[in-house]
Amino acid sequence: MNKKHLFNRRQTLLLGLGSIVSMSTLALGSTLKPQQASNHQKRNFAASGNLPLARRAAAKGLIYGAAVRKYALSSDAQLAARFTRECAMLVPEWELKWNFLRPKPNTFNFAPADWLAAFAQTHRMLFRGHTLVWHEPHALPEWFSIVNSQNARQILLEHIATVVGHYAGKIHSWDVVNEAISVKDGRSDGLRETPWLKFLGSDYIELAFRAAAKADPKALLVYNDYGLDYDTPEADAKRTAVLKLLKRLKSRGTPIHALGIQAHLSASETRFNPQKLQKFLSDVASLGLKILISELDVKDKELPVNINIRDRLVAATYEDYLSVVLDEPAVTAVITWGLSDRYTWISEFEARPDSLPVRPLPLDADINRKLAWNAIARAFDQAPKR
Ligand code: G3I
């Protein structure tokens, strides 16, 4: 299929998503009209064969993996079996964050993350690090309150040297800096007001990348952020600010190799503009950077109760998004933020108002493949080879 046809096909898919979603909005608290219900049922999510996601991705020169928590992988044999089958990359969802890794200023606890690294190695999966510099209080230890402008540089550099050094040569990539842009904070450079910015100034990002490169010259060094996906004024501003940051880092010779686009999507969001997203991806690629879809999942908070409808809308969101981003050859990996609905941050942070279990990931809470899995499989099967 040539590019033009592919594009037209995707436009049709996206129009389909728009109508499905507006229909689902109608369906909230009411019932679907028969005509709408039959349109909705028409979309085909059949995936050919039984091959796992990792194999389908690999056939296109892509990596597929997922984030996971050590307690889940070590205690849930069903999850572990599926994880090793579906994934070619493992990302600790919690265990490489400061609150887990550095319980005291001078104490590092690598045991949980090392367990995950060993699991990945045993099962021939790549291991990816998340994250070295993040402001989020949930992910920082209590002692972090001692950090000030006198000691911040030393504490940060020590952290990066110790942690990156620990996995040097054994890790695929590091999210060196996470979520450093927040346009609404009002600065002209778009940087988020964080303790790191306050204590170290705007060069803290470059400092962190240089320290990571020194500790592991082989790892792919990533800037990771969210809110880059949709056609909204906020996302426009964020894409502009992220691009500006990446350009600045590159122009200063900073060792940065990739952008991580988190892609926490929402199945009820219709403001999706493929051309805009593709332009952003190609602008990033033209800086010589790779792109990782680093935390993909699909929220179903505003969708109807009916699981069949919900699963179709979530699947449509996955396939429509991936079919657009995988057209960009610089995209080299797709990582879902979890594998099964049994373990997902969305059940805690983006729960449904009716308290029904959320269904944002490729496998359901019984660890079985669902339509979201088919959608990802289809997108990999249709992706151009890199
Ligand atoms: O620390 C306790 C732990 O001891 C206990 O076993 C567990 C039982 O539920 O709770 C633990 O606290 C959890 C903590 O992660 C672990 O550090 C919190 O409840 C939980 O709210 C917290 O949330 C994580 C959050 O990052 C902060 O680290 C989410 O699970 C995780 O999915 C989320 O991931 C972030 C990415 O890092 C960055 N991008 C956005 C993404 C989603 O918010």
Side-chain angles (χ1 to χ4, degrees):
M1 208 183 304
N2 69 31
K3 273 267 186 222
K4 194 162 165 249
H5 282 129
L6 202 62
F7 186 74
N8 287 340
R9 185 178 64 80
R10 282 169 189 171
Q11 285 296 83
T12 316
L13 288 178
L14 290 158
L15 287 172
L17 174 62
S19 59
I20 287 173
V21 172
S22 51
M23 183 181 69
S24 79
T25 310
L26 283 175
L28 279 172
S30 67
T31 50
L32 290 176
K33 291 181 187 154
Q35 173 68 31
Q36 292 167 328
S38 71
N39 284 345
H40 176 253
Q41 294 298 337
K42 272 184 199 151
R43 187 155 169 174
N44 180 7
F45 290 107
S48 63
N50 199 27
L51 277 184
L53 295 178
R55 295 269 300 276
R56 293 172 193 263
K60 300 301 171 67
L62 284 161
I63 300 165
Y64 170 72
V68 73
R69 306 163 186 177
K70 190 236 159 186
Y71 86 84
L73 202 59
S74 60
S75 64
D76 185 335
Q78 245 183 320
L79 176 75
R82 267 297 176 191
F83 202 97
T84 53
R85 184 160 150 72
E86 297 287 356
C87 298
M89 177 183 272
L90 183 157
V91 188
E93 186 178 347
W94 292 353
E95 294 76 6
L96 287 169
K97 291 172 179 171
W98 285 54
N99 56 334
F100 267 73
L101 211 48
R102 204 168 173 181
K104 293 186 201 152
N106 298 314
T107 307
F108 287 84
N109 174 20
F110 285 104
D114 280 356
W115 188 93
L116 288 168
F119 184 95
Q121 199 184 17
T122 305
H123 298 283
R124 296 197 189 85
M125 283 182 251
L126 298 166
F127 186 61
R128 168 166 156 70
H130 172 86
T131 171
L132 299 168
V133 184
W134 195 24
H135 61 280
E136 169 57 48
H138 271 108
L140 289 170
E142 271 175 30
W143 65 260
F144 195 79
S145 55
I146 67 160
V147 178
N148 58 38
S149 45
Q150 271 73 55
N151 61 18
R153 186 183 168 92
Q154 199 237 324
I155 289 176
L156 181 64
L157 291 179
E158 189 187 13
H159 188 85
I160 294 176
T162 307
V163 176
V164 178
H166 186 81
Y167 295 106
K170 295 184 257 176
I171 203 158
H172 167 270
S173 52
W174 269 108
D175 285 336
V176 179
V177 177
N178 195 40
E179 304 173 5
I181 296 288
S182 175
V183 177
K184 70 173 168 36
D185 288 6
R187 290 172 54 101
S188 60
D189 57 9
L191 289 185
R192 185 188 293 276
E193 300 283 1
T194 73
W196 297 118
L197 180 71
K198 183 169 154 203
F199 300 139
L200 297 171
S202 58
D203 286 345
Y204 81 92
I205 298 178
E206 190 175 338
L207 181 76
F209 275 95
R210 290 194 186 281
K214 194 169 160 213
D216 185 354
K218 289 208 175 118
L220 190 83
L221 303 182
V222 183
Y223 173 72
N224 195 46
D225 215 330
Y226 67 90
L228 298 166
D229 316 290
Y230 289 115
D231 190 6
T232 62
E234 296 76 25
D236 273 339
K238 191 138 183 181
R239 283 188 289 266
T240 303
V242 165
L243 207 50
K244 197 166 144 193
L245 169 67
L246 297 176
K247 277 184 185 155
R248 186 167 68 98
L249 292 172
K250 285 299 284 184
S251 73
R252 295 172 62 91
T254 313
I256 174 171
H257 311 124
L259 171 67
I261 296 183
Q262 294 186 8
H264 294 294
L265 306 179
S266 170
S268 50
E269 180 55 84
T270 52
R271 292 169 293 175
F272 183 49
N273 181 331
Q275 292 97 317
K276 237 183 206 182
L277 184 57
Q278 275 169 339
K279 168 79 169 68
F280 174 67
L281 299 177
S282 83
D283 287 347
V284 172
S286 70
L287 296 173
L289 297 170
K290 299 284 181 213
I291 300 165
L292 281 62
I293 305 302
S294 57
E295 303 186 13
L296 179 62
D297 50 20
V298 178
K299 295 168 223 170
D300 65 350
K301 194 168 155 172
E302 283 152 6
L303 298 187
V305 169
N306 183 298
I307 284 177
N308 178 25
I309 297 173
R310 254 204 280 163
D311 281 0
R312 286 183 159 269
L313 294 166
V314 167
T317 308
Y318 269 110
E319 191 171 346
D320 291 345
Y321 185 82
L322 286 176
S323 67
V324 170
V325 297
L326 294 179
D327 239 5
E328 168 53 60
V331 174
T332 56
V334 174
I335 298 131
T336 50
W337 206 238
L339 182 64
S340 151
D341 296 337
R342 194 179 283 180
Y343 309 98
T344 164
W345 71 286
I346 290 177
S347 58
E348 188 181 350
F349 291 90
E350 298 275 353
R352 290 177 57 86
D354 57 17
S355 304
L356 284 173
V358 295
R359 300 175 65 83
L361 288 167
L363 307 183
D364 67 15
D366 293 325
I367 327 272
N368 291 320
R369 291 170 173 177
K370 65 188 212 282
L371 286 188
W373 182 94
N374 290 46
I376 300 171
R378 287 166 61 87
F380 287 156
D381 291 350
Q382 284 157 26
K385 211 167 178 170
R386 17 297 278 148

